[in-house]
Amino acid sequence: AQSVTQLGSHVSVSEGALVLLRCNYSSSVPPYLFWYVQYPNQGLQLLLKYTTGATLVKGINGFEAEFKKSETSFHLTKPSAHMSDAAEYFCAVSDRGGGFKTIFGAGTRLFVKA
Amino acid sequence: GAVVSQHPSRVICKSGTSVKIECRSLDFQATTMFWYRQFPKQSLMLMATSNEGSKATYEQGVEKDKFLINHASLTLSTLTVTSAHPEDSSFYICSAPAGGANEQFFGPGTRLTVL
């Protein structure tokens, strides 16, 4: 069965500092991998996804993530945090075999200090 | 990108009443939609998979008679919370896959408060 572990329920960074949100997955075969962002009282918005090919994936708002098969990780980074990045971030996996079912991590709340 | 809407965005109801939440795919067809429940400061919990033209598939522990799902068309799925109680108060989010690679497009969510 697939699972997703996000290390750290809360991460706090200063504005302009590096953002690193950690995600590890468990799957018998490499799944599709996603990062979603959720602002208060809103649905989720896709930041980026890994399907195949290049393991460094670039997304919206300056975020990127690297798929490391050997480490079963898909950590999310951004070189310089902005106040508007403060939100909840969810890592998610989905089986390539079809069915569309997506499993979400517990989420990491990012705080950005001025 | 694909757009999913939900209605209503907020609903307050009395205990014992039923509440219907709609999820629509506005610019694409969705044979499958998903319903999630999210408690404050927690992740999304998949409740059920809504299948157009057939019965929904419920996750373990979710009462199918409590949370009725109807996927009557390729663009509409409804979730009805029957005989709602305060413990049903939550944020309900729907999603639909589109664009390949199992990418999900999410509705904006519905905040249900049962008094």
Side-chain angles (χ1 to χ4, degrees):
Chain A
Q2 295 177 321
S3 66
V4 181
T5 301
Q6 290 184 240
L7 297 176
S9 59
H10 298 84
V11 170
S12 182
V13 300
S14 298
E15 192 173 22
L18 171 72
V19 176
L20 171 60
L21 305 183
R22 300 179 186 272
C23 173
N24 289 88
Y25 68 90
S26 173
S27 179
S28 56
V29 295
Y32 295 127
L33 294 159
F34 307 87
W35 275 100
Y36 289 90
V37 61
Q38 184 181 32
Y39 297 98
N41 294 311
Q42 295 186 27
L44 275 67
Q45 179 184 8
L46 181 70
L47 276 178
L48 47 81
K49 64 183 178 183
Y50 171 76
T51 56
T52 188
T55 56
L56 182 62
V57 180
K58 294 186 183 299
I60 62 172
N61 302 338
F63 285 93
E64 60 184 36
E66 186 171 10
F67 168 59
K68 291 187 176 180
K69 183 179 178 180
S70 61
E71 298 177 7
T72 60
S73 68
F74 191 57
H75 302 330
L76 180 71
T77 61
K78 181 174 180 178
S80 177
H82 191 273
M83 296 296 287
S84 61
D85 294 327
E88 188 86 21
Y89 292 81
F90 293 97
C91 182
V93 301
S94 184
D95 188 357
R96 292 175 182 268
F100 303 115
K101 185 182 287 190
T102 301
I103 305 300
F104 289 86
T108 298
R109 181 162 295 278
L110 176 64
F111 296 92
V112 182
K113 300 174 291 185
Chain B
V3 179
V4 175
S5 70
Q6 275 184 247
H7 178 80
S9 59
R10 292 178 179 269
V11 57
I12 301 173
C13 69
K14 293 181 178 180
S15 185
T17 61
S18 293
V19 174
K20 179 184 286 188
I21 303 170
E22 294 185 347
C23 177
R24 292 181 186 274
S25 56
L26 297 186
D27 50 0
F28 66 103
Q29 295 182 332
T31 56
T32 301
M33 291 184 175
F34 298 93
W35 286 97
Y36 298 87
R37 183 174 181 176
Q38 186 180 31
F39 291 103
K41 303 185 188 303
Q42 294 188 28
S43 188
L44 282 72
M45 181 193 78
L46 179 64
M47 298 175 66
T49 303
S50 176
N51 304 298
E52 188 270 334
S54 64
K55 292 183 179 180
T57 304
Y58 289 83
E59 296 299 303
Q60 190 172 9
V62 177
E63 300 175 60
K64 59 181 67 175
D65 294 331
K66 172 75 172 176
F67 299 98
L68 300 179
I69 291 173
N70 184 22
H71 197 143
S73 76
L74 288 171
T75 60
L76 174 65
S77 174
T78 60
L79 168 68
T80 301
V81 183
T82 63
S83 187
H85 288 91
E87 56 265 31
D88 298 324
S89 298
S90 191
F91 194 54
Y92 292 87
I93 304 175
C94 70
S95 74
N102 294 10
E103 180 180 344
Q104 299 288 330
F105 289 86
F106 289 84
T110 297
R111 173 75 59 193
L112 170 63
T113 302
V114 184
L115 303 177

